[in-house]
């Protein structure tokens, strides 16, 4: 069908841009973690291996350590948003959606409007989201109840 052709063409375009654009890995560790360095290191390793396993290259890591998911002025988060707006990012990889925010409205805005508007594919390990397997609306709600900050 024509809809399927458009999706395939969109994925091909996204893959072609992949060579010029970056694969953004966003990591956020809340202020409640006792060993933040270990937690950051574990997330970096897991997400980098995930990216490589999916053939994603040109990786850039954006890391906010000690910030609440409710703080939308996190330095790396702001830089990530700026880089997405300027077209530098092809793909965003998260450990889970709560790394972005614990605010359902913000998560929904990013997934349904912001990332698609800027042609950024989303991968989230915990929710098993990929550009080929997009999110269902129930997942952002479930992510809000995923634990502490």
């Amino acid at each position: 069908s024509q809809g399927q052709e458009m999706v395939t063409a969109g994925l091909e375009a996204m893959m072609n841009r992949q060579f010029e654009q970056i694969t953004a890995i966003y990591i956020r560790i809340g202020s409640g973690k006792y060993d933040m360095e270990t937690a950051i290191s574990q997330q970096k390793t897991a997400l980098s291996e995930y990216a490589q396993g999916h053939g994603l290259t040109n990786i850039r890591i954006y890391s906010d350590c000690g910030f609440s998911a409710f703080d939308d002025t996190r330095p790396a988060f702001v830089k990530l948003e700026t880089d997405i707006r300027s077209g530098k990012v092809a793909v965003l990889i998260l450990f889970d959606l709560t790394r972005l925010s614990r605010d359902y409205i913000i998560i929904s805005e990013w997934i349904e409007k912001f990332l698609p508007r800027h042609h950024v594919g989303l991968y989230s390990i915990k929710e098993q989201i990929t550009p080929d397997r997009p999110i269902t609306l129930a997942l952002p709600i479930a992510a809000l109840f995923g634990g502490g900050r």
Side-chain angles (χ1 to χ4, degrees):
S1 75
Q2 187 176 6
Q4 180 65 33
E5 290 171 10
M6 286 178 54
V7 170
T8 303
L11 288 173
E12 286 173 356
M14 184 171 58
M15 291 172 76
N16 288 337
R17 282 197 317 276
Q18 176 71 31
F19 296 107
E20 304 142 16
Q21 294 176 301
I22 62 170
T23 295
I25 290 178
Y26 180 69
I27 298 169
R28 182 192 56 77
I29 300 296
S31 55
K33 291 282 182 194
Y34 294 112
D35 188 354
M36 286 192 227
E37 289 306 314
T38 300
I40 286 274
S41 177
Q42 288 171 343
Q43 272 194 45
K44 280 182 184 176
T45 299
L47 291 166
S48 295
E49 288 173 359
Y50 180 88
Q52 291 166 355
H54 283 80
L56 301 169
T57 58
N58 200 17
I59 295 168
R60 181 174 301 161
I61 295 176
Y62 298 77
S63 179
D64 282 317
C65 191
F67 287 89
S68 165
F70 294 102
D71 180 355
D72 60 359
T73 63
R74 294 167 269 157
F77 181 75
V78 170
K79 174 68 173 148
L80 171 64
E81 187 173 7
T82 300
D83 286 351
I84 289 171
R85 287 184 191 282
S86 67
K88 293 179 183 175
V89 177
V91 172
L92 171 61
I93 302 176
L94 307 167
F95 183 74
D96 64 56
L97 294 176
T98 64
R99 300 307 89 201
L100 282 179
S101 180
R102 290 200 188 268
D103 181 331
Y104 172 71
I105 295 170
I106 292 172
I107 291 173
S108 294
E109 174 68 25
W110 272 64
I111 291 169
E112 296 171 12
K113 295 179 183 163
F114 182 67
L115 295 175
R117 182 182 314 127
H118 296 285
H119 310 287
V120 175
L122 175 64
Y123 290 82
S124 182
I125 295 176
K126 184 176 178 183
E127 294 87 5
Q128 299 180 359
I129 297 166
T130 69
D132 294 329
R133 189 175 178 275
I135 189 166
T136 63
L137 290 177
L139 284 174
I141 296 169
L144 295 177
F145 302 102
R149 296 178 160 205

